[in-house]
Amino acid sequence: MKKLFDYLPVIVFFGLYFASGRDIYLATWGILIASLLQIALGYLVWRKVERMHLLVFAVTLVFGGLTLLLRDDMFIKWRPTVIYGALAVVLLVGQFLRERSLLQRMCEAMMISGLGYVVPLVKRDWTILNISFVLYFSLLGGLNIYIAYHFSTDFWVNFKLIGFTLLNLVFYMGLFLFVYKRLPEEERQRLFHDRAAKPDAPTRHHEE
């Protein structure tokens, strides 16, 4: 449910675009309102405003607002590139600020939430993962703006929906295989066996 909520603005954008007969301006209104609604509902339901949601809203407000004000859809097409660029810069800078990178801290928090324990990786592995994300986000940002300037709006929207989805699938499958190959056999078994049979295992592993 929470994961679906994170994609609310994008879902609204695509839904309105295709339901309205490919009206990019109506879709822009939709993603702008949905981004604001995402922040409001997030605070009401979870009493927390995600930094990522704030970033998305700020970028959407600027570039979506310019699109609606100037009636130029090129501004909204810049939105993904700016977001991906910001993420790449944040992860790159975060690599050097602390002993544990921003990506590592985020991933470890998600591991504890989803698995109940932290998958053990050495510092070199975390560096490779972090640089992989930086390069991937940079690639997506560059690819997005290239398509925006060289192809039609309809092609751009369809590529964002289908092309970027396929690229994400390949990228995250590759990351999973990278992490999986570096796990000891015991940890591999933990990922694919029912941990409910060992209710104290996650806690014990975390304490160690």
Side-chain angles (χ1 to χ4, degrees):
M1 179 64 181
K2 177 64 167 58
K3 198 64 177 177
L4 184 63
F5 180 73
D6 289 338
Y7 289 98
L8 175 63
V10 176
I11 293 172
V12 171
F13 177 83
F14 287 125
L16 283 178
Y17 181 78
F18 291 110
S20 64
R22 293 169 170 73
D23 186 340
I24 190 66
Y25 299 107
L26 180 60
T28 299
W29 272 113
I31 197 172
L32 181 57
I33 295 172
S35 297
L36 178 59
L37 187 63
Q38 184 182 56
I39 294 176
L41 289 178
Y43 181 77
L44 290 175
V45 176
W46 291 284
R47 293 297 176 183
K48 181 181 180 181
V49 177
E50 300 285 348
R51 293 180 181 177
M52 186 61 192
H53 295 169
L54 286 174
L55 170 64
V56 169
F57 174 69
V59 175
T60 303
L61 180 62
V62 173
F63 290 88
L66 288 172
T67 289
L68 296 171
L69 181 64
L70 303 177
R71 304 299 288 182
D72 185 349
D73 62 5
M74 189 54 67
F75 289 105
I76 196 63
K77 292 177 183 178
W78 267 95
R79 174 185 173 275
T81 294
V82 173
I83 292 176
Y84 287 132
L87 291 175
V89 170
V90 168
L91 290 180
L92 183 61
V93 172
Q95 176 70 33
F96 305 102
L97 290 182
R98 297 184 182 180
E99 183 178 351
R100 291 162 61 239
S101 68
L102 175 62
L103 178 69
Q104 180 178 350
R105 285 180 278 133
M106 291 172 57
C107 288
E108 288 179 346
M110 288 189 290
M111 289 175 187
I112 293 176
S113 176
L115 299 175
Y117 65 96
V118 174
V119 174
L121 294 173
V122 299
K123 184 175 180 59
R124 179 175 178 273
D125 292 335
W126 283 115
T127 299
I128 292 174
L129 288 174
N130 195 70
I131 296 302
S132 297
F133 270 100
V134 171
L135 294 176
Y136 182 62
F137 287 147
S138 299
L139 170 66
L140 291 183
L143 183 59
N144 171 77
I145 206 61
Y146 176 84
I147 292 174
Y149 276 101
H150 292 84
F151 295 88
S152 67
T153 296
D154 196 48
F155 184 90
W156 174 77
V157 172
N158 281 286
F159 190 85
K160 272 180 56 63
L161 178 61
I162 301 173
F164 277 32
T165 299
L166 292 177
L167 286 174
N168 284 333
L169 180 62
V170 172
F171 177 71
Y172 287 107
M173 284 182 61
L175 288 183
F176 174 80
L177 291 176
F178 174 85
V179 173
Y180 183 78
K181 288 182 178 180
R182 280 154 179 76
L183 294 178
E185 185 60 30
E186 179 184 356
E187 295 298 333
R188 295 182 184 184
Q189 295 298 324
R190 287 170 68 95
L191 289 176
F192 294 100
H193 285 73
D194 186 7
R195 292 180 294 112
K198 300 178 181 180
D200 61 327
T203 302
R204 183 173 59 252
H205 182 86
H206 180 59
E207 291 174 349
E208 295 172 353

